[in-house]
């Protein structure tokens, strides 16, 4: 068995990715679903599509409708 402690230490020293924008987006999506369920009075169906804009950002479009 080889000693991987140097590799593990290097992995632990790597900076962590900032997921704050991702987590904020998930929060907004959950809120949108809750609002749609309250407005439509029950379950909803969601359809999503994604594309890239001119700047290279990923844009996700979601349509929520009653089930």
């Amino acid at each position: 068995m080889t000693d991987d402690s140097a590799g593990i230490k290097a992995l632990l020293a790597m900076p962590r990715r900032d997921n704050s924008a991702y987590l904020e987006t998930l929060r907004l999506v959950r809120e949108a679903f809750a609002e749609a369920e309250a407005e439509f009075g029950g379950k909803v169906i969601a359809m999503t599509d994604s594309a890239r804009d001119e700047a290279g950002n990923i844009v996700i479009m979601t349509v929520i409708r009653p089930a």
Side-chain angles (χ1 to χ4, degrees), residues 7-36:
I8 293 171
K9 287 180 185 177
L11 180 65
L12 293 175
M14 293 175 67
R16 293 184 174 237
R17 183 179 5 190
D18 179 17
N19 288 330
S20 59
Y22 171 75
L23 295 173
E24 175 67 12
T25 301
L26 287 180
R27 184 186 68 78
L28 293 172
V29 168
R30 283 193 297 271
E31 285 180 4
F33 273 93
E35 289 175 15

